[in-house]
Amino acid sequence: MKKVVSELVVKTGKAIILMITTQIVNYLSSEEFSNRVKKFIQEMVNKIVKLVMSEKISDTPK
């Protein structure tokens, strides 16, 4: 009986891991994820440019 329960638990665990992995792969392959990454990169680049420009302006001798 213990062996049957153990096998069932292992099979259930494998099935759950497979389902979760499939969902993660599908999301990482999706257009939504791609768009979010693009937007994030664009926001970071904009912040870096603003920071560099503000530093450049503050370093300019008057």
Side-chain angles (χ1 to χ4, degrees):
M1 181 70 172
K2 275 186 173 180
K3 185 177 179 183
V4 173
V5 172
S6 295
E7 288 175 2
L8 180 61
V9 168
V10 169
K11 287 181 180 180
T12 303
K14 286 181 179 179
I16 291 170
I17 291 170
L18 180 61
M19 288 171 47
I20 292 170
T21 304
T22 302
Q23 290 298 318
I24 291 171
V25 169
N26 286 343
Y27 178 68
L28 293 176
S29 303
S30 72
E31 188 175 339
E32 176 188 359
F33 179 76
S34 178
N35 290 339
R36 285 184 180 202
V37 170
K38 287 177 188 175
K39 184 178 178 183
F40 173 76
I41 292 171
Q42 186 176 25
E43 288 173 359
M44 291 300 107
V45 168
N46 287 339
K47 287 180 181 181
I48 291 169
V49 167
K50 286 178 183 176
L51 179 65
V52 168
M53 292 305 291
S54 68
E55 289 293 319
K56 188 173 182 177
I57 290 170
S58 66
D59 288 348
T60 305
K62 294 181 182 179

